[in-house]
Every structure is written in C-alpha cells, then in structure tokens.
Amino acid sequence: MNKRSLLAALYGVLALYALMTLSPFLWMLITSFKEPADLFRLPPSFVPTQLLTDAPFANYTSVLTERDFTTYFVNSLIVSTSAAVGQVITCAMAGYVFAKVPFRGRNFLFAVVLATAFVPNEVTIIPEYLLMRQLGWINTFLPLIVPSFLVGSFGTFMLREYFSALPNDYAEAGRMDGASAFRIFRDIYLPLSVPALISVFVVAFIHSWDELLRPILYLNSPELYTVPRGLISLVSEFDAQWTWFMAGSVISTLPLVAIYILGQRYVIQGFVAGGVK
C-alpha cells in the first residue's frame, strides 16, 4: 500500500468516526423539525417534515415563547459565565502559588487538591445542600456560582503546569524593580498565561452550562431555571414534548459550539503548553 492509499484510508476512517460522533446531533437537529406524529414512525424517517409546512420553525417558536426558554437561556449565561470567571480567578492564584511560591508542604497540599478530583459529586452533595439551606441560598443562583469560586483541581493543575513552564527570571526582574508578589503575578505572569486562562474558562463554562443536578436541587421557581433544568421540565411522567425538547436541545448547544470555536486556538495552545496529556 503506497502512501496515498494509506492517507486515503486514514481519512476514510476519520470521516466514518466523525459521522458516528455527529450522528446524535444530526438526529437531534432533524427531530427538532418534525411533527410529533412522525417521531415514532417505523421505519424511522430522516425527513424533517415540518420544514415542508407553512411553519417550519414552529417547535423553536413554541419552546422559546410558551416555555419561556429565553429566560432559561439568559439564566444559564449568567450562572455559567459567573462560575467560569470565579474558577479562572481562584485557579490562577492557586496555580501560581503552587508553581512559583516555595513554602513548606507545597507538594503535599497540591496532591490534596488533585485528590479532590476523584471525589464524586454524589458524596458531597448532601452536606453541600444542608450548608446552602442553612445559608438561606435555596432557590437562588448562589449555590450554582459560589462553589465555583473555590479552587478547582483541573484548573489548578493546568495553570500550575503552565506557570511552571514560564521562566523565573521574570519574577526576579520584577522584584528588582520593586514590584510586590501580587503585582508580579498580575502584571507579568497573568498576561503571559492567556491561552491557559481561556482554556480553563471554556472548560468551566461548558461544565457549568451542562450542570443538571444542582439546578434540580436548588432551583424551585421556573423563572430561575437554567437550560438543563428547563429541558427536564418538558418531560414528565405522563407527557413528553419530544419535538420541543429536541428544539431546546439544539438551542442549548449553540453557545457551547460558539465559545469553543472562538477560543479553539487558545484552548489548543493552553492544553499543549500546560502539559495536559
């Protein structure tokens, strides 16, 4: 097999893998343009029948107006952006300290932070809920945002590796000019770590946007629902509006696709430079 044939075979395998990966999204997109009567037809139809009617976007219009999905969308933007910003702030400070500030027990404390990544949410969610109830934060956005301002293991690890790769000479030069430790961090190392910061922001935003457990536990008022919580409200024990559900799911994926496309170059740079294998 010559080089051209091998390359063609490789592209064929990658194209097949891409099709398999995108097939759930394509099915979701097609279903969002179907009439409810067409959902359970056998054999399954891949024709978006609603596009052939006078109201091709009826499912999208219904989910945006009758279910107030616009409010859910705005709530998710507020929660996810705030949580991602908080994650970037605390992880940047922690990562810098673990990388550039020598102190006793630094490696042990860093190992403890990394160990928290292996603790599932189901273990901590009950004491967390009791704490939020004592604080009076139930049915507010605070339980969805404030925990993200705590140091995250992934972001701390990534930024620590990124800061470790930057020369210590920058800090020495800053100290010679009379800069404080915080100013060295803020004015020298933070501007150099933009790719890693954007990478952490993108990952934290996506994680917060997809969060379902905490919105179910903490949000009781429909006007506070996030997108995942709003989607769940379309499915009940006795009724399921699947066409609306698929339309809402398509809408909910658009910010994730957009934020990844906008930050893709920085995300790749951040992951490579941060040493994440």
Side-chain angles (χ1 to χ4, degrees):
M1 181 179 293
N2 57 34
K3 184 177 180 180
R4 181 172 297 179
S5 300
L6 183 61
L7 190 60
L10 178 61
Y11 279 125
V13 172
L14 292 176
L16 180 61
Y17 178 75
L19 181 61
M20 293 173 59
T21 304
L22 292 175
S23 57
F25 179 79
L26 293 176
W27 179 254
M28 176 180 69
L29 183 63
I30 292 172
T31 305
S32 69
F33 288 103
K34 283 186 176 183
E35 299 287 345
D38 298 327
L39 290 181
F40 304 103
R41 180 178 298 175
L42 293 176
S45 172
F46 293 93
V47 178
T49 54
Q50 200 172 72
L51 288 178
L52 306 177
T53 65
D54 295 333
F57 299 100
N59 291 329
Y60 289 87
T61 303
S62 298
V63 80
L64 288 172
T65 55
E66 297 185 31
R67 286 291 182 166
D68 201 15
F69 205 79
T70 304
T71 300
Y72 306 157
F73 195 88
V74 173
N75 291 342
S76 281
L77 282 178
I78 295 173
V79 170
S80 300
T81 303
S82 302
V85 169
Q87 190 77 176
V88 169
I89 293 173
T90 56
C91 288
M93 292 189 292
Y96 177 78
V97 169
F98 284 127
K100 298 298 184 183
V101 181
F103 60 91
R104 188 175 181 181
R106 179 177 65 173
N107 293 334
F108 173 76
L109 185 58
F110 181 64
V112 171
V113 172
L114 293 184
T116 61
F118 300 98
V119 180
N121 287 334
E122 291 77 8
V123 174
T124 59
I125 196 65
I126 293 178
E128 178 186 303
Y129 178 83
L130 295 177
L131 175 62
M132 297 303 173
R133 189 178 65 178
Q134 290 293 326
L135 293 173
W137 288 358
I138 302 299
N139 204 33
T140 69
F141 290 151
L142 292 177
L144 309 182
I145 297 174
V146 173
S148 296
F149 278 79
L150 304 177
V151 176
S153 56
F154 169 78
T156 301
F157 171 76
M158 182 173 182
L159 289 169
R160 186 250 191 186
E161 296 301 305
Y162 196 94
F163 285 129
S164 296
L166 297 177
N168 294 326
D169 296 342
Y170 298 147
E172 295 294 336
R175 280 191 286 268
M176 291 179 62
D177 290 338
S180 63
F182 181 77
R183 186 177 178 185
I184 292 172
F185 162 70
R186 184 192 62 189
D187 296 341
I188 298 177
Y189 283 97
L190 272 187
L192 294 173
S193 60
V194 170
L197 296 175
I198 293 179
S199 300
V200 173
F201 179 87
V202 170
V203 172
F205 184 93
I206 292 175
H207 178 269
S208 180
W209 185 275
D210 291 336
E211 178 72 48
L212 177 60
L213 179 59
R214 286 184 174 87
I216 288 178
L217 285 176
Y218 297 125
L219 302 180
N220 303 321
S221 302
E223 62 271 14
L224 296 178
Y225 283 176
T226 58
V227 167
R229 183 66 180 88
L231 287 175
I232 291 298
S233 67
L234 298 175
V235 181
S236 65
E237 183 178 358
F238 304 103
D239 185 31
Q241 297 167 312
W242 292 113
T243 54
W244 291 12
F245 185 90
M246 292 300 179
S249 299
V250 171
I251 296 173
S252 68
T253 61
L254 297 180
L256 304 183
V257 174
I259 194 173
Y260 182 78
I261 291 176
L262 292 175
Q264 180 181 14
R265 178 167 63 93
Y266 296 101
V267 169
I268 295 175
Q269 291 178 7
F271 273 75
V272 172
V276 178
K277 302 296 189 290

